[in-house]
Amino acid sequence: MDISPTTSNVKVSNHIPDDLVNSILHKLPIKSLKRFGCVRKSWSLLFMDPDFMTVYSNCFLSKNHSFYDDTSLLLHLKTRDKYDLYSLSGERFENIVKLDWPKVPLQVPVRRGRIIHRIGGIPKENVPPSQVSDFSFEIPSSKKSCEILGPIGINGTLCLEYPEIPDIRGNTKLILWNPTIEESKVIYLHNSNHLSIRWGRNYQVGYDRAKNDYKMIRRTLYPPKVHPYSSLQVNFFWEIYSLNSNSWRKINDNVPHSDRCLEVVYMDGVSHWLNTSRTETYLVSFDFSKESFITTPIPSYEGDCFDFYSIGRLLTILNGSIAFIVNYKERATFHISILSELGVKESWTRLFAVGPLPCLEYPIGAGKKGNILIRKKDNNLAWFDLSTGMIDEIGIRDEFGCKILFHKESFLPIGGIYNNFSSCFHGP
């Protein structure tokens, strides 16, 4: 029997079921979802739909991001008279190991075998003569007070600053330290050049992927000029150091004034920090490849003000995105907004509203998969899970302040990094 082909008219519908649409929209990046708001009016209102936002927030937290591959967390904890450093690893950073700071040699003036003045807050009578060798000795661990410069390591190497431990000329020192292989090198920061005395502050290190170049920026201050009526004028500018060219140069860009780089975070070759003036707080971003600054106003919501005693502000990285946390201390709540585009204030999206949490003192930073490190009112540190609302203490108390940063282990020696960065501070 012959079978002849038959044709039939099939009507194709251009209607997409709402469930399928929502399933797709839930997985979009925030920037794309905002753009799609112009397609349909109902899509432009999704950020005001609590049911949609609950699912969208959970999808945001469940995404894997390469930022966290092979990383551990470092907890920089201040105690009464020193700083402690802990390594937190594991899926929920449940493995906690206390690290030893690198040994720091200190050059001091010695006359006839005796130290002739105090350095770094250490009385001379407390330094055993046996520790004085070749005009140097080891700082007692209880007196080590250092800052970790920036949230990034260079091939697993951290940059530490010991402001209380100068050399014999009063120059501050930096320590390049790889905690994985326990190697450290000292770099002295010379405070003068051939023109006049100047100070470098707000050191930050980043990586230029396009040129395969490590770079460092600093805000440089010339001393104030004293006018007849005792008014002061301070001149400042930003400089950048390139490891490839082994030289400093001035950054010719619209440079924001930053007294302090607060809450510094780093991701994808860009360093970000909060800058606060008398009238506003905004995000400053520096792209190490383009060597340019971008400023982004922070989100403002009804009831926000610049009362730092009642409202805390925190910048962090949440699942691979820049996040701005506003902590309403009296209400024991905090809100988290995600930035989808630098330079655009409207690209901030409030994604999480947490609390009230009666035990909450303030949030400290973000770990993986929506875990927020918080300080409780009893001074205990704990992880708060944004997905489940569960709180797990980590067994460490915080009485004087702390911060966290991500770190990738490396078995590469400091070597060339030290040689080049050291020479950049000894130039003219």
Side-chain angles (χ1 to χ4, degrees), residues 357-373:
L357 299 175
C359 67
L360 173 69
E361 183 73 18
Y362 53 78
I364 296 170
K368 296 179 182 178
K369 299 292 186 180
N371 285 310
I372 304 295
L373 185 66

Side-chain angles (χ1 to χ4, degrees), residues 140-416:
S141 60
S142 62
K143 291 295 182 180
K144 290 182 179 178
S145 176
C146 72
E147 278 294 328
I148 299 177
L149 299 183
I152 181 178
I154 307 172
N155 286 338
T157 301
L158 299 173
C159 189
L160 312 179
E161 180 184 12
Y162 284 77
E164 297 181 2
I165 307 178
D167 67 357
I168 57 178
R169 296 177 179 83
N171 297 315
T172 303
K173 62 170 58 177
L174 293 183
I175 310 293
L176 294 179
W177 177 44
N178 185 332
T180 305
I181 60 177
E182 299 182 356
E183 181 185 7
S184 62
K185 299 288 185 180
V186 178
I187 297 175
Y188 290 101
L189 301 181
H190 291 252
N191 294 324
S192 64
N193 69 349
H194 62 287
L195 295 176
S196 69
I197 300 295
R198 67 182 184 182
W199 298 278
R201 299 187 59 187
N202 296 336
Y203 288 90
Q204 297 187 52
V205 178
Y207 179 65
D208 180 349
R209 290 184 178 178
K211 298 180 180 179
N212 189 26
D213 189 12
Y214 290 101
K215 297 179 179 179
M216 174 183 287
I217 61 172
R218 68 180 177 188
R219 188 174 68 101
T220 301
L221 290 173
Y222 279 100
K225 298 178 181 179
V226 180
H227 294 276
Y229 300 101
S230 299
S231 61
L232 299 179
Q233 179 180 357
V234 179
N235 297 316
F236 81 95
F237 58 91
W238 284 87
E239 294 178 293
I240 186 167
Y241 171 78
S242 165
L243 191 64
N244 287 348
S245 65
N246 190 27
S247 61
W248 286 99
R249 53 189 167 80
K250 184 179 178 182
I251 300 175
N252 296 314
D253 189 37
N254 294 326
V255 184
H257 179 74
S258 299
D259 286 330
R260 294 183 63 192
C261 298
L262 302 174
E263 308 292 346
V264 180
V265 299
Y266 178 92
M267 186 175 65
D268 296 333
V270 182
S271 186
H272 311 270
W273 64 89
L274 292 179
N275 186 69
T276 301
S277 67
R278 294 182 178 180
T279 58
E280 63 176 339
T281 299
Y282 52 91
L283 176 73
V284 180
S285 305
F286 180 79
D287 189 315
F288 282 90
S289 294
K290 299 178 181 178
E291 297 186 0
S292 61
F293 291 91
I294 302 174
T295 58
T296 308
I298 65 168
S300 57
Y301 303 111
E302 183 179 356
D304 282 7
C305 64
F306 289 90
D307 182 0
F308 294 97
Y309 294 99
S310 60
I311 297 180
R313 291 171 169 84
L314 172 68
L315 192 68
T316 189
I317 300 294
L318 180 61
N319 209 30
S321 296
I322 299 173
F324 180 67
I325 301 180
V326 180
N327 176 33
Y328 300 93
K329 301 176 184 179
E330 295 181 356
R331 307 180 208 166
T333 63
F334 63 89
H335 297 165
I336 303 178
S337 298
I338 303 300
L339 181 65
S340 59
E341 185 173 359
L342 290 175
V344 182
K345 181 178 182 180
E346 293 74 22
S347 69
W348 288 104
T349 301
R350 181 185 289 180
L351 215 54
F352 302 95
V354 179
L357 299 175
C359 67
L360 173 69
E361 183 73 18
Y362 53 78
I364 296 170
K368 296 179 182 178
K369 299 292 186 180
N371 285 310
I372 304 295
L373 185 66
I374 65 172
R375 171 177 165 171
K376 299 172 60 180
K377 290 184 177 179
D378 60 5
N379 295 337
N380 283 306
L381 296 178
W383 288 114
F384 175 81
D385 192 322
L386 289 173
S387 299
T388 64
M390 299 294 292
I391 298 176
D392 295 322
E393 293 187 2
I394 68 173
I396 298 177
R397 290 175 59 83
D398 169 29
E399 297 183 1
F400 299 95
C402 69
K403 67 178 181 180
I404 57 174
L405 62 152
F406 284 93
H407 177 255
K408 292 191 178 185
E409 291 188 347
S410 173
F411 291 92
L412 296 176
I414 295 175

Side-chain angles (χ1 to χ4, degrees), residues 12 15 74 81 92 163 220 304 348 390 399 401 425-426:
V12 179
H15 173 72
L74 295 180
D81 58 358
R92 292 178 51 83
T220 301
D304 282 7
W348 288 104
M390 299 294 292
E399 297 183 1
F425 291 109
H426 289 76

